[in-house]
Amino acid sequence: MNNLNTEKIIDKLKNMLKPKRLKHSINVANCAVKLSEIYGCDKDKAYLAGLVHDCAKYFTNDQIEVYVKKYDIELDPMEVDNIALSHSVIGSYVIQDVFNIKDVDIINAVRYHTTGRENMSILEKVILMADMIEEGRDFPGVDYLRELSFGGQLNKALIDSFNNTIKFVIDNDQLIHLRSISARNYLMQENR
Ligand SMILES: [Fe+2]
Ligand SMILES: [Fe+2]
């Protein structure tokens, strides 16, 4: 793969992320490798995608603006001014620009790690789930999600995790991204 080596990527990430977020990113990378062994996807891609998935998390509005212009990125109305959602889409361009990652699987895994989408690839599923269950995560139900994920039930883990997220969003009176609904419904039909 024609991209920077891991050490150089981590060095660059140190300037982009708070220490806690860098630790989280390394945890996601390691967790994604474990999951990729179970579900049969490329370990190197899983590690790399995990490492860089949150690289745009602390972007300022000006930095976002630069990328939107440079890559002609169309943020949907929910993503505009919402870094919690847009960092994944923006991040999928930043990894090409800053880390020279051109692999489409990795780009999509970063792009959809927050909302998911219909018909996700195994790598997309692995990164989304590793982001939820990496060893630093601590929320009610995380152990059950780990059990499912490491027990060969990745789709069930994803459905449960979407259900949690959607319930949380409703309880907090926030908008639900339509991609998350589509992702959940698709998985439920896939799992029948
Ligand atoms: Fe993220
Ligand atoms: Fe994350």
Side-chain angles (χ1 to χ4, degrees):
M1 232 181 285
N2 180 27
N3 48 256
L4 301 172
N5 69 36
T6 308
E7 255 169 62
K8 278 188 188 153
I9 290 176
I10 291 177
D11 265 351
K12 285 199 177 194
L13 284 173
K14 279 181 189 160
N15 297 320
M16 302 169 82
L17 300 175
K18 294 178 182 169
K20 226 178 119 183
R21 182 66 50 178
L22 179 61
K23 177 87 179 82
H24 160 72
S25 301
I26 293 169
N27 287 349
V28 172
N30 288 327
C31 183
V33 168
K34 285 186 206 158
L35 292 177
S36 66
E37 282 165 0
I38 299 171
Y39 298 103
C41 66
D42 187 303
K43 273 189 263 183
D44 294 333
K45 287 189 190 185
Y47 187 83
L48 205 49
L51 204 54
V52 299
H53 80 285
D54 271 342
C55 68
K57 187 88 180 179
Y58 300 106
F59 267 31
T60 61
N61 288 341
D62 288 348
Q63 284 173 297
I64 290 172
E65 186 74 24
V66 168
Y67 274 94
V68 165
K69 282 209 179 114
K70 183 168 176 186
Y71 289 97
D72 213 8
I73 304 170
E74 277 195 41
L75 293 176
D76 67 37
M78 278 195 225
E79 289 163 341
V80 171
D81 291 331
N82 184 352
I83 192 78
L85 282 178
S86 68
H87 77 277
S88 35
V89 178
I90 302 289
S92 71
Y93 293 91
V94 177
I95 65 170
Q96 302 176 54
D97 198 48
V98 176
F99 304 116
N100 198 29
I101 295 172
K102 309 290 183 195
D103 184 278
V104 176
D105 289 341
I106 299 177
I107 291 169
N108 283 333
V110 171
R111 184 176 182 108
Y112 298 107
H113 83 265
T114 313
T115 58
R117 64 163 168 169
E118 278 184 14
N119 199 11
M120 283 187 278
S121 70
I122 303 284
L123 186 67
E124 287 169 43
K125 290 178 180 179
V126 159
I127 294 302
L128 198 148
M129 216 49 230
D131 192 21
M132 300 295 288
I133 63 164
E134 59 92 347
E135 62 180 37
R137 293 291 200 197
D138 187 17
F139 56 86
V142 69
D143 284 331
Y144 180 58
L145 292 180
R146 287 181 181 129
E147 229 172 82
L148 292 173
S149 304
F150 292 116
Q153 298 190 69
L154 185 60
N155 282 356
K156 170 98 176 78
L158 284 156
I159 292 166
D160 272 39
S161 147
F162 279 118
N163 285 347
N164 288 344
T165 306
I166 292 167
K167 281 182 208 159
F168 176 86
V169 164
I170 289 173
D171 287 344
N172 287 278
D173 220 10
Q174 296 167 354
L175 292 168
I176 303 174
H177 200 285
L178 293 179
R179 274 203 300 272
S180 298
I181 309 272
S182 307
R184 172 185 177 272
N185 287 348
Y186 190 93
L187 284 162
M188 288 189 71
Q189 281 161 330
E190 201 178 38
N191 241 27
R192 269 184 197 155

